[in-house]
Amino acid sequence: MQQMQQIPDVIKLIPLNFYVLFSSALFCIGIVGVLTRRNAIIIFMSVELMLNAVNLLLAAFSSYRADPSGQIFVFFIMAVAAAEVAVGLAIIVMIYRNIQTIDVGILNKLKW
Amino acid sequence: MSLVTLIPLFPLIGFLINGIGFRHVPKSLVGIIGSAAALASFACALSLFIGFSGQPEVTHLFDWITVGKLNISMSFQIDQLSLLMLLIITGVGSLIHIYSVGYMHHDEGFGKFFAFLNLFLFFMLLLVLGSNFVVMFIGWEGVGLCSYLLIGFWNKNSNYGNAARKAFIMNRIGDLGFLLGIFLIINHFGSVEFADVFGKIAEGDYESGDKTLLYITLLLFVGAMGKSAQIPLYTWLPDAMAGPTPVSALIHAATMVTAGIYMIIRANIMYSLSPETLEIVGWVGAATAVLAASIGLFQNDIKKVLAYSTVSQLGYMFMGLGVMAYSSSFFHVMTHAFFKALLFLGAGSVIHAMSDEQDIRFMGGLRKKLPVTFITFLIATIAISGIPPFAGFFSKDEILAHVYEHNKLMWVVALAGSVMTSFYMFRLLFLTFFGEFRGTHEQEHHLHESPITMTLPLMLLAVLSAIGGFFNLPHIFNGHASLAEFMSPLFAHTHSTAHEADASTEIMLMVISVAAALIAAAFAYFLYIIKKSVPAADGQESGLKKVIYNKYYVDELYDKIFVTPITVLSNFFHSVIEFLVIDLIVEGIGKGVKILSGEARLLQNGTTGYYIFAMVISIAVILAWSLRAFLF
Amino acid sequence: MNSIIALSLFGIANLFLGFLNNRKILLPATLAFVLVALGLNLADWNQEYLWFNNMLRTNNLSVNFASVILVATFLVVAVSRGFGDDEEHTHPAEYYAIMLFSVVGAIMMVTFENLIMLFVGLEILSVSMYILTGTDKRNLRSNEAALKYFLMGAFATGILLFGIALIYGATGSFNIHGIEALVLTAAGGSAPALLYIGIVMVIIGLLFKVSAAPFHFWTPDVYEGAPAIFTAFMSTVVKTAGFAALFRLLGGAFTGVYGTWIYILYFLTMLTLIIGNITAVYQQSFKRMLAYSSISHAGYLMLTATAKVAHTQSSILFYSLAYSVATISAFAVLMVVAETKESNAEKTNENFDIFNGLAKNNPLLAFVLTVSMLSLAGIPLTAGFWGKFFIFSDAFQRGIVVPLVVAVLMSAVGIYYYFKAIISAYFKEGDVPAIELKPIYKITLIVTTLLTIVLGIAPDLVKSIF
Amino acid sequence: MLTLTLILFPIIAGLLTLASKGENAKTIASAAAFIELALGAYTYFSFVPDASTQFGLSYDWIHAAGVKFSIGIDGISLILVCLTTLMVPFIIVSTFNSNYTNANNLYALILFMQAALVGVFTAKDGFLFYFFFEAALIPVYFIAAIWGGENKIKVTLKFFIFTMFGSLFMLLALVYLYMKTPGEIHTSDITALYEVGQNLNPSQQGYIFWAFFIAFAIKMPLFPFHTWQPDTYVEAPAPATMLLSGIMLKMGTYGLIRILLPIVPAGVQAWGLTAIILSVIGIVYGSIIAIQQKDMKRLIAYSSFAHVGLMSAGIFSRTLDGLQGSLIQMLAHGINVIGLFFIVEIIQQRTKSRELARLGGITQTTPNLTVYFIIIMLGSVALPLTNGFVGEFLLLKGVYEYNVWIGAVAGITIILGAVYMLRLVQKSMFGITSRITEGFQDLTFSEKAVLFPIAFLVIALGIAPNAFLHITEPAVSQLLTIITK
């Protein structure tokens, strides 16, 4: 209990801006990943990276404000992301079964 | 129902019976109904004339158009002018109706013809009976319509149809002027009733040369130009000869075309205060008189000659108006109605006998076969040429005397016209009735005097043409100038500046004009009886003669100036402005959207990476914009 | 509120019904479920509650939105015909269950009080939609659509979450009333950039869901690829829920910094209107045209959803209802006609020309199609007209003239492509055999059409409720 | 209640017609139209000629927005209600000789159209007006597009989008004014809108003026917004053409009088001259184009375009004569143009052609038709004692009062009108018969049943225009006092 209350103090040793910048960087890496990769799974992983950047940020804010709701949100995100993974991978598998590839570049039949 | 109302009612009823019962009324009845309607009107007019008190009487029928303070009522006015016109119209009209019974007997459109004639009478009577400008305008346009219908009576021939259209449209040009004049009158006087308008002017608030009156009179004169075939709107009248001959006699000689003169006399109080307009009226009349007469010199169609003669005589009447000799002009209207109707009917009789041949080059020597026609035609010719003591002499010389007093130059022009008139009339007479017959054998075989229904009107009109002049015998012949006397209340408020010529001048003028007419007649005698010359066939004239024969190419000129440009403009508007400009803009917007759409859809190229890239860029831009305060 | 719980249970119940291997009872059962949920939902009328530790809020606004969503769901289910009995749709029970679950998500998006619930609702809805989009497993178009939707949806979720995180960082709260209060105070002084970025990103995340330009790219492709019935569902339920959420945030939590986002939204509104309407003109595919039409309608809705004032909610609601009803009719007609053509061994397509000559043998279908097109085009006598009317009125009241003029011009463009369907149905030569309609289907079509007309003549019937 | 009946009755009858088949539809539709005519006549005779709005009725329509379903009839409305109720029976009877497939639908649409038209002319609420204004478009669109000619799809769509586009501006203007009305709940009552509009500053009024003007100018149509019109008239089947030209374009002129003039007097002050000049350009331009047209329908379309220009010019002259003239001319033009289009339809049915060059000589076999044609033509060229004269006389006088020169130019219409109308009659009726006009069948009973009353009206209205002038005058005077306040 004692230790728990010290956590914010420990975390605050690093300025909040650092967390913000770090997770922003992480988020941007995720975006770049989404933009540059053609493999559906890698893109999906990049999206997960973005979500994790958000998680980190939430955790940091939560600690700085000594407000647990942010951390609770992190759990929600994790749970929902897991569901998303399940569905997403299923879709990817389905596509792989049909066309033996998961390159999003060639999935452009629907256009104009 | 008063007598006044009955006058136009009879022809209307006649029209309805013959018109609606078209093809159902027995042919024998058609003519009787039509003529009876005209005669009944004549009887009414006569009894009104006899019982006339000397004071104008207005009969109000009903309010026609009421807007705000303006009330245009359907009402009739009886005064000296309208009574005289009524008598001429119904009198001459009745004779022509009777004549038509014989003339049109074999035509399949017999019933239609009488219906139209009655309708014409109805509108003509409205024209002269109306107590305000708008009712006059009803008649004005109505007679134009009947003229249109009757010119195009034989509607299978599209040339006749074109002539009819030309007449209607040219009349309409004049009508527009009339209409605008009416608007100006309404705006200025707030009423269209003759009594109100002229009453206000009679109060004396108007100087001579008043601008408003100038414009009103000019606009009304434009209307008169159209209806009475004056330069520049005269070309329809010769073409109007396409109609049956009785129509030419009734409408295009005796009655309708004099509507312009009637109108100016009616509005004399305004004209007298607009000397500029009068000057224009006079000179337009003079120009028309001489121009038309000159064209008449070389025409070969019997009706065309008479038509140009009509135009020319109308010119004299306007000349008279221009010098404020109103009653003289009217006197000429009256005598002209007699002898010109007679001439046309005589021509009709000739045409009837000649199996519809109208070209005088193929006539000749008809006097033996058509004695009645010949004698009556001769009387009319003498009358129109201004040889005493027949009607035309008195009326024309009255006008000439006034013109002489007003302007010597105009008198010279008028005299020239009168010489030409005498020449072409005698030319016509000689070519038609004297010499050898030049037509086909078949025609010769058919030659016969017309039936009594046709010759009776001829004889009656011949009598009138002979003695008509005595209705207004001038003082120098110990006459009473009874017509002028009778009409004088009409000019009570007119401040006439014309002064009477003294007796010696008048006699001198008469002698000159009679001499000129006789010389012209003699010249014609020399040419066509002694030298037996016959006008050349079409296309063989040369020089000035060719120009005149082709009517100075005025029709062609109008064609070039008005018809062709409008046709071209119409096609231009339709194919260029309409489809290449306006529609192209409208359609262009539609097409533009479609093209834009075709381009815009290419944004949607189907690649996920590209979509996300676009989103990221957009996000970046949006963030940059919303954070501009922090960034810059 | 009880409707959320009930619908979750009903979804599970539906899965169990699937074991019965009896397709016949699925449809009526689902319809009954939706009706019950609608009843439960309406029971909350005129009561204001906070639920689950202030996570959800029920009030008339949420009841209204939820009702529109449920009505749309009901209609979509009614025209689903139990997903037929073909090979493609082997698991109708699951489809119905997923639809019910997604409605739970939608209602959560309407009732959220806390951004966590917004996120959870959004994800429940989205994930369900990913699945439904890909249900036509062997159809490559369906696959592609599902993948595109999924990848882009997940990406947009990431943006939304990052925004939420930043807002949390700036205000320390997920509760929208809490945020509203803090934003208001922040607006006075110099608000931290974090807040601005957060707000903008949250808005973007939601704009993605309602397919506003330039985040609309997924819409045409996904609409085209997904089975028509789910496209209908997507374009009505998802849109309504998305706008409800957007309206609650813009009209509530974010009003304090109105100046930050309003110009962006004006601009995006115009962009959406232009892209949606202009691109639709060229389309040969009816379904794809409806996708662009859906984008353009998002534009009209954005006109009024950006208002700070509360009473625009009734305009949004009316518009959503009118739009949903008309869209569902259009899709319903499309589905039966396309299916008939398909079974006639013609190559399946969903272009305008499948309607050629529809009126000859199927006057009812042609009429339904016409009314729905007129309504979408916003022509008087139909509900769509009043929808546009209310929106324009609201926009005028706020004096946003430029976007309004764009909207007006674009609705003239709209007539062109909506009328293409009517023209095909009535004036073009073609042959559509007479189609036998199941009673429920017929009734639904008649009801939607009548509803459109009745609302077109007497909008007050519904408008006064909202 | 009477007004509501006038609107609802055709709808109910239309629904009945829709449900009936074949000959029944004909009977029901014509019976309904004649009952409606009787109702119209009853309205005419029970109307007290003063400036008030009579037979009024007002319900809440959209309560929260203050929009009311309020209808009523004043003199200006009455003349147009009379036109509508008078002409629709003829339009219906005029179809009896043609074989339209699914005729019951056609009759139903005509009746729906009639309801909407009566609605437009009696609406006393801005939005209700707009509602009917647009609603009238839908039936006629379908009539034109279902039973039209070859090119119907493109042309009718253009027509629909064009007019709809214009109306949207009107909607904007109405909403703008509505938002300015005082009170928590605004009102769209037409008199309230008058008040709001009049209190706007001149530049605002200018914008509103244009928004309304474009809407009405497209509907009428005025130069240069007219390109939909000739094509649509040509492609549309006879009943649609009659509805469009006979009645529907009067929605535009009516709108000018009812909406535009009283709402933005200062705007009209500022832009009236422009509007009049556009109108007069339209008169001359349309007339000149009509002169060379080869297709009878197209010719009449352009003539109608020219006539409407004169009505609009008269309205914008803002004189009593101009307004009265435009009202009486709306009635007269409706009657004439329906008659003319019907004659064209008769000729087309018999000869399968509308080309003047291929026609001619019809009078030799069918003098009756010629008589009717000439009477109606005379009405159209405004010969005195026909209905056209009264209108044109007053209109020209109004324009003349406004500006002498514009009046004179507008007056050219009476010359050019004669030019093209006489050409129309001559080329079709007179001359020698052509291959296709030989053996031209005589008029049938139903054709006479349409033409005779129309010809009668042409003359009756020309002789007794006061029957209508008296009715409209108080309302018009009142309107003028509002405008010139």
Side-chain angles (χ1 to χ4, degrees), chain B residues 583-604:
Chain B
D583 216 27
L584 206 66
I585 294 172
V586 174
E587 298 259 316
I589 293 172
K591 290 242 168 62
V593 169
K594 261 190 195 168
I595 292 168
L596 199 63
S597 175
E599 296 298 319
R601 88 204 160 102
L602 297 181
L603 287 176
Q604 197 77 32

Side-chain angles (χ1 to χ4, degrees), chain B residues 64 155 165 172 570 578 583, chain D residues 158 285 288 302 381 426 431:
Chain B
W64 184 34
N155 55 42
R165 262 164 69 198
R172 272 255 153 153
S570 176
E578 198 72 346
D583 216 27
Chain D
K158 179 174 161 189
Y285 178 83
I288 288 183
Y302 279 110
V381 300
Q426 191 193 350

Side-chain angles (χ1 to χ4, degrees), chain C residues 14 63 69 125 187 220 222 233 256 261 269 274 300 322 380 411 413 416 437:
Chain C
N14 241 338
V63 171
I69 289 170
L125 182 60
V222 173
F233 190 68
W261 48 264
T269 303
I274 292 170
Y300 296 118
S411 48
V413 173
Y416 175 79
L437 294 175

Side-chain angles (χ1 to χ4, degrees), chain D residues 21-86:
Chain D
K21 290 264 177 282
E23 284 297 309
N24 280 342
K26 231 182 223 183
T27 321
I28 295 176
S30 39
F34 280 106
I35 293 172
E36 179 85 354
L37 173 59
L39 282 173
Y42 176 72
T43 316
Y44 173 82
F45 288 114
S46 43
F47 183 83
V48 185
D50 59 23
S52 64
T53 301
Q54 296 163 38
F55 319 112
L57 182 82
S58 179
Y59 297 123
D60 269 351
W61 192 19
I62 305 169
H63 181 72
V67 179
K68 290 208 164 45
F69 185 91
S70 75
I71 46 179
I73 294 179
D74 65 358
I76 300 172
S77 304
L78 181 62
I79 196 165
L80 287 153
V81 170
C82 285
L83 172 71
T84 313
T85 54
L86 196 57

Side-chain angles (χ1 to χ4, degrees), chain B residues 63-64 66 68 137 141 145 155-156 158 161-162 165 168 172 183 186 567 570 573-574 577-578 582-583 587, chain D residues 154 158 226-227 285 288-289 292-293 302 320 364 381-382 384 389 397 414 426 431 462-463 465-466 473:
Chain B
D63 286 343
W64 184 34
T66 316
F137 188 74
E141 288 247 290
L145 165 71
N155 55 42
K156 275 187 210 172
S158 60
N162 292 340
R165 262 164 69 198
F168 193 82
R172 272 255 153 153
F183 292 154
I186 296 174
T567 314
S570 176
F573 280 167
H574 187 239
I577 305 275
E578 198 72 346
I582 299 177
D583 216 27
E587 298 259 316
Chain D
K154 180 173 178 285
K158 179 174 161 189
H226 64 278
T227 50
Y285 178 83
I288 288 183
I289 289 187
Q292 282 290 306
Q293 289 310 302
Y302 279 110
L320 184 63
Q364 287 162 35
V381 300
F389 173 73
K397 181 172 174 295
I414 73 163
Q426 191 193 350
I463 292 174
N466 268 351
E473 178 143 339

Side-chain angles (χ1 to χ4, degrees), chain B residues 470 472-482:
Chain B
F470 298 98
N472 192 22
L473 198 62
H475 297 292
I476 48 166
F477 296 126
N478 289 327
H480 302 289
S482 38

